Amino acid sequence: MSTAVLRFENVSKQFPGVKALDGVSFEAHAGRVHGLLGENGAGKSTLLKMLGGQYRPDGGRLLLNGRPCDFHSAGDAIAAGIAVIHQELQYVAELSVAENVLLGRLPTRFGLVDHAEAQRRVAAQLAAIGIELDPAARLGELSIAQRQMVEICKAVAQDAQVIAFDEPTSSLSHRESEILFRLVHALRAEGRTLIYISHRLEELYALCDSCTIFRDGRKVASHAVMAEVRRERLISEMVGRELSDIYDYRPRPAGQQRLQVQELRSQALPHGLSFEVHGGEVLGFFGLVGAGRSELMRLLYGADRRRGGQVLLDGVPVSAAGPAAAIAAGIVLCPEDRKEQGLLTQASVAENINISCRRHGLLAGLFLRHRREAALADDFIQRLRIKTPHRRQAVSLLSGGNQQKVILARWLAEPGLKVLILDEPTRGIDVGAKNEIYRLIHEVAARGCCVIVVSSELPEVLGIADRLLVMRDGRISGELPRAQASETAALALALPDPACSDFCD
């Protein structure tokens, strides 16, 4: 094997109350893809931020081509030939695609930015990668998946020799993921050194040559040939225990029909959509990115304006006045973008848990009942196994899986919960946290609540749902009871016929 291009030697990083990395050592080689595996909070993203110059190690060192590196900023890392595509995207929403890709390297003409030249360069780069985007489009108007592709384009445009990907497919459609996979193979063939983080084991097996497993900030194992390691062994090393059935499906008798959606429509969904959910049922929604799943959930929750139709809960119409009316009726939503739409990122864990249920007696006159709020937060931190040093911790400092649990805790604290909507509940979440969230889903359903789960991961939605609805082009294209649900049947409903036949082949 060639000499390591990138080497971490006994690297440590401490934050208040948390040791994020504890004496971690591993190496990566040119022309190979090295996978980093571990649960949320295991230290993987912290290590990439150290590689990208955002953090400096408290101990140990980083070597690039055998020479020690001491990065003081992201600019230092970029100058050294390192590009990091973070899970939390780094972009300027008000700038164009071209300006984001070439930020810091924009071409000039007569002392001014040459926008035409910038757009020409980025258009060529996008075409070479296979991404169809307008380089003049404002980034803030693009979908999360499109922004992710822009970040990938930015890294390639830097001509970096070391490229690290942190959950790059968490927001991508199947077709966009295929573009990324082709790009990773091409970069490896060019001799680049690649680091790849993902919680999707099938991706890691398809792309990675070797891997390192993290748990609680420490390296627990490294494997020189990942293809030779059994899936069960990797999971056990990541979570420290055996997981025989990650989905932990629990069959339940169907209850009475509780939620009825009748001809619901909006500007984004002009075709009336109708479906029903029974008490105690987990209803899955599957479809490709752009099929209208998230738009339907936002409409059901009152976040988007209705243009027709109605929602009935236990036979009573639910007001379309907005999310407050939906929450009062017992309908709540964990949104796809938890950072921008689900969390008060500068607030504490306790404040995020209590923000909704304060209206249920946590107020004493004009003053908050701090003891009751503290007790409620501590109770859910323990019940949902939220990894945080204390309830006062800023929620922005938690891992993605624990942030998702905080949003779940907020809604589970609602005494009148009747319908729980989860839009991509395990996006960017490790296998152990996924198992815990699936357990919570089944527990909520066992209480007689309706649970609606939207997921782009077909094995996930097939594994946890009692019944599956598939969407395509803003319509519900079909329904599959659990006994008849399969990947082939779901894809046949999600894709146009020609595309489906090509995909299935």
Side-chain angles (χ1 to χ4, degrees):
M1 185 178 289
S2 61
T3 303
V5 171
L6 178 66
R7 184 192 300 272
F8 287 88
E9 291 186 349
N10 296 313
V11 172
S12 298
K13 185 64 181 177
Q14 180 92 22
F15 296 105
V18 178
K19 194 156 193 176
L21 291 172
D22 187 3
V24 170
S25 299
F26 78 94
E27 59 187 38
H29 297 255
R32 292 174 66 81
V33 182
H34 191 86
L36 300 184
L37 293 75
E39 295 187 275
N40 291 103
K44 309 181 302 298
S45 295
T46 298
L47 186 138
L48 289 198
K49 288 179 180 178
M50 196 175 294
L51 176 63
Q54 291 176 266
Y55 295 156
R56 297 181 67 194
D58 297 328
R61 62 178 185 166
L62 163 66
L63 293 93
L64 190 62
N65 293 315
R67 295 188 296 273
C69 298
D70 186 15
F71 299 145
H72 292 261
S73 67
D76 289 347
I78 293 171
I82 294 172
V84 179
I85 303 168
H86 295 283
Q87 183 179 359
E88 300 292 344
L89 302 181
Q90 314 289 316
Y91 58 82
V92 183
E94 298 304 320
L95 296 182
S96 69
V97 170
E99 290 166 330
N100 271 275
V101 171
L102 298 177
L103 195 62
R105 301 176 292 113
L106 285 164
T108 59
R109 181 180 174 86
F110 305 123
L112 300 174
V113 174
D114 189 342
H115 293 284
E117 175 63 16
Q119 291 173 19
R120 186 193 65 77
R121 291 185 191 179
V122 172
Q125 185 73 60
L126 291 168
I129 296 175
I131 303 172
E132 296 181 3
L133 279 177
D134 179 4
R138 191 174 72 88
L139 204 72
E141 297 175 351
L142 302 182
S143 68
I144 296 176
Q146 290 171 322
R147 296 176 202 174
Q148 182 74 278
M149 299 305 285
V150 171
E151 285 293 295
I152 293 167
C153 181
K154 183 195 301 184
V156 175
Q158 292 172 3
D159 196 29
Q161 292 307 301
V162 177
I163 303 178
F165 300 85
D166 190 356
E167 294 290 344
T169 63
S170 62
S171 302
L172 301 185
S173 68
H174 173 76
R175 290 182 178 84
E176 290 163 331
S177 295
E178 285 188 330
I179 293 172
L180 173 67
F181 296 162
R182 288 197 297 269
L183 177 60
V184 169
H185 288 303
L187 293 170
R188 177 170 56 183
E190 292 174 6
R192 316 272 187 116
T193 301
L194 305 175
I195 305 292
Y196 197 94
I197 293 178
S198 177
H199 294 306
R200 299 176 178 177
L201 289 180
E202 63 274 13
E203 284 182 18
L204 294 163
Y205 276 109
L207 296 175
C208 296
D209 302 291
S210 55
C211 69
T212 295
I213 293 91
F214 290 75
R215 188 168 70 239
D216 298 327
R218 296 174 179 165
K219 185 186 83 172
V220 295
S222 281
H223 300 286
V225 183
M226 184 170 175
E228 296 178 354
V229 186
R230 292 173 60 245
R231 175 189 175 96
E232 292 76 15
R233 179 178 177 183
L234 288 179
I235 293 175
S236 177
E237 288 173 339
M238 281 191 287
V239 304
R241 64 187 189 278
E242 296 291 334
L243 287 179
S244 56
D245 178 13
I246 185 176
Y247 301 115
D248 195 22
Y249 177 73
R250 307 173 192 178
R252 297 165 303 280
Q256 297 293 319
Q257 185 181 93
R258 297 203 68 180
L259 179 70
Q260 292 175 280
V261 177
Q262 300 176 343
E263 294 296 321
L264 203 59
R265 60 175 59 84
S266 67
Q267 183 176 0
L269 299 171
H271 312 289
L273 296 169
S274 301
F275 65 93
E276 75 288 331
V277 192
H278 295 259
E281 182 180 28
V282 178
L283 177 66
F285 269 85
F286 175 71
L288 303 182
V289 173
R293 301 162 304 159
S294 294
E295 290 81 358
L296 176 57
M297 299 307 128
R298 286 177 55 83
L299 191 58
L300 180 57
Y301 179 60
D304 292 338
R305 185 177 179 182
R306 292 185 203 169
R307 287 197 167 182
Q310 67 174 344
V311 176
L312 301 174
L313 187 55
D314 293 328
V316 178
V318 177
S319 169
I327 294 170
I331 300 174
V332 301
L333 169 68
C334 294
E336 177 184 15
D337 190 340
R338 55 179 169 261
K339 178 182 175 183
E340 293 191 8
Q341 300 174 358
L343 292 168
L344 302 174
T345 54
Q346 299 307 310
S348 69
V349 171
E351 288 172 307
N352 272 275
I353 291 174
N354 286 297
I355 191 67
S356 179
C357 63
R358 280 175 174 167
R359 70 186 197 281
H360 296 296
L362 290 184
L363 289 171
L366 297 177
F367 301 97
L368 297 176
R369 294 185 185 271
H370 293 292
R371 288 184 180 177
R372 291 184 62 183
E373 284 205 357
L376 184 68
D378 287 341
D379 180 44
F380 277 99
I381 288 169
Q382 181 178 9
R383 286 170 55 187
L384 273 61
R385 303 172 193 170
I386 299 172
K387 292 182 181 178
T388 178
H390 44 71
R391 77 179 88 90
R392 299 177 301 280
Q393 178 84 325
V395 75
S396 60
L397 298 179
L398 269 56
S399 67
N402 287 297
Q403 288 178 348
Q404 187 74 302
K405 289 181 185 178
V406 169
I407 301 175
L408 276 169
R410 176 193 303 161
W411 297 134
L412 294 178
E414 282 283 337
L417 176 62
K418 296 178 182 177
V419 179
L420 175 62
I421 305 171
L422 303 161
D423 192 354
E424 300 289 0
T426 64
R427 181 172 65 85
I429 291 178
D430 64 78
V431 64
K434 284 183 178 182
N435 177 249
E436 292 176 355
I437 288 174
Y438 299 149
R439 173 181 58 83
L440 289 169
I441 288 172
H442 296 312
E443 287 180 3
V444 172
R447 288 163 40 185
C449 295
C450 305
V451 182
I452 301 175
V453 179
V454 174
S455 179
S456 299
E457 293 189 43
L458 188 48
E460 173 177 80
V461 76
L462 291 174
I464 64 173
D466 300 301
R467 182 165 53 98
L468 181 64
L469 295 181
V470 182
M471 292 190 67
R472 185 179 69 213
D473 299 328
R475 296 180 170 91
I476 295 175
S477 56
E479 176 181 331
L480 295 169
R482 183 176 179 85
Q484 300 172 16
S486 67
E487 293 197 19
T488 301
L491 286 169
L493 292 169
L495 293 164
D497 291 338
C500 181
S501 60
D502 293 341
F503 184 92
C504 294
D505 290 342

